[in-house]
Amino acid sequence: MFPADNAWNEDVSHLAVDANSSAYLAEMNPSGATHIHPDFGSDPSYGIPINVDTISAANFTPIAFTLYPDESDPGPYPIPSSPAIEAGSDHHMLIVDQADCKLYETWMAQFSGGAWSAANGAVFDLGSDALRPEGWTSADAAGLPIAAGLVRYAEVRAGAIDHAIRFTMSTTFKGHIHPATHDAGGNVANSPPMGLRIRLKSSFALNVFHGQSLVILTALARYGAILADNGSDFYFSGEPNPNWNDDDLDQLKTVPASAFEVVHTGPIITP
């Protein structure tokens, strides 16, 4: 997704460590006991699904935005007849329109009374590096595209992930780093801003891992992960797929948060 020079597709293995990396990690992992968690698996209700379809513009569907209409890209949206929607409270609905190479994402999507609504919505041109307007949210609190950072089964099966991975933290700072355009945090010292990028340290040994987990960890060492939303600490996002090997993915739970470092990708932008 997105051009090769897009921030999501940037190899950050050689970028400088952020001067505040240790302080960030101390705040993000105060007990020293936090481990990463794959927030996806073979259970269809566990993960964020992506709908990939080609729908005629004549069949695009109106959608009303109820919480952030002023920061939403207006409809209609190319909603399939029976779209896959994230289970749980967030109800993210992600749609890739293959005809126009665009990504449509909504938060808290629901169909009621014969009509679609959502808290907000964002449209991304998959052939462009353009960011959301400064200060605008998206279906993610950071104003970022969700689908771009999901671990997808097809790429892991092919043997390589070539993009950063989306992750969440419970406490975030009131500020953001591009490509994020929005923040949803407070002023806790050294809490991470939206758009913060972490990577697996080169000193962390990968030779004890295998299979699907090794592919994911290799990507975390090369492309890292981008903080995209408030949620459980060090939860890494992916799509549900019946072919995931959950026992294999459980290897990821042995990787401590202390195995990561923050890389410098730009200044923090505050409101």
Side-chain angles (χ1 to χ4, degrees):
M1 294 188 179
F2 298 105
D5 64 353
N6 190 272
W8 282 100
N9 304 323
E10 181 183 4
D11 182 340
V12 299
S13 61
H14 302 297
L15 290 188
V17 175
D18 192 284
N20 203 41
S21 179
S22 295
Y24 278 134
L25 266 299
E27 176 61 34
M28 295 165 72
N29 180 26
S31 69
T34 301
H35 289 68
I36 72 175
H37 183 89
D39 197 18
F40 58 94
S42 63
D43 184 337
S45 67
Y46 196 45
I48 307 176
I50 305 174
N51 298 275
V52 180
D53 213 333
T54 296
I55 296 177
S56 167
N59 295 317
F60 276 34
T61 303
I63 183 168
F65 299 117
T66 59
L67 290 184
Y68 303 101
D70 293 342
E71 296 179 21
S72 294
D73 295 315
Y77 281 30
I79 302 175
S81 58
S82 299
I85 299 176
E86 179 188 17
S89 60
D90 282 343
H91 284 189
H92 286 116
M93 180 169 62
L94 316 182
I95 303 165
V96 174
D97 180 7
Q98 288 185 308
D100 291 331
C101 201
K102 288 185 178 179
L103 170 65
Y104 296 77
E105 299 190 338
T106 60
W107 173 47
M108 294 178 63
Q110 62 175 340
F111 185 75
S112 178
W116 282 97
S117 67
N120 58 353
V123 181
F124 297 90
D125 182 344
L126 295 177
S128 170
D129 289 332
L131 304 181
R132 302 280 289 159
E134 196 65 54
W136 279 33
T137 188
S138 65
D140 243 347
L144 293 167
I146 296 173
L150 296 183
V151 177
R152 303 186 293 274
Y153 176 74
E155 58 191 357
V156 172
R157 181 185 60 187
I161 298 172
D162 58 3
H163 59 82
I165 297 171
R166 174 188 187 268
F167 82 107
T168 63
M169 290 296 301
S170 58
T171 301
T172 57
F173 184 68
K174 192 174 183 179
H176 57 272
I177 301 171
H178 284 166
T181 58
H182 185 261
D183 46 79
N187 293 310
V188 176
N190 297 315
S191 57
M194 291 295 178
L196 185 85
R197 196 152 183 164
I198 61 175
R199 74 175 171 220
L200 200 60
K201 295 177 181 177
S202 60
S203 59
F204 186 75
L206 296 181
N207 58 353
V208 297
F209 297 92
H210 59 79
Q212 297 173 354
S213 288
L214 179 58
V215 174
I216 296 167
L217 292 173
T218 300
L220 288 171
R222 183 174 182 183
Y223 298 98
I226 299 178
L227 178 57
D229 203 0
N230 291 319
S232 298
D233 291 340
F234 284 92
Y235 270 46
F236 290 74
S237 306
E239 66 166 355
N241 190 294
N243 295 304
W244 286 122
N245 183 325
D246 294 323
D247 290 335
D248 187 318
L249 294 178
D250 279 347
Q251 295 176 84
L252 297 174
K253 299 176 183 178
T254 69
V255 179
S258 59
F260 290 85
E261 59 195 358
V262 177
V263 294
H264 181 75
T265 55
I268 299 174
I269 300 167
T270 56

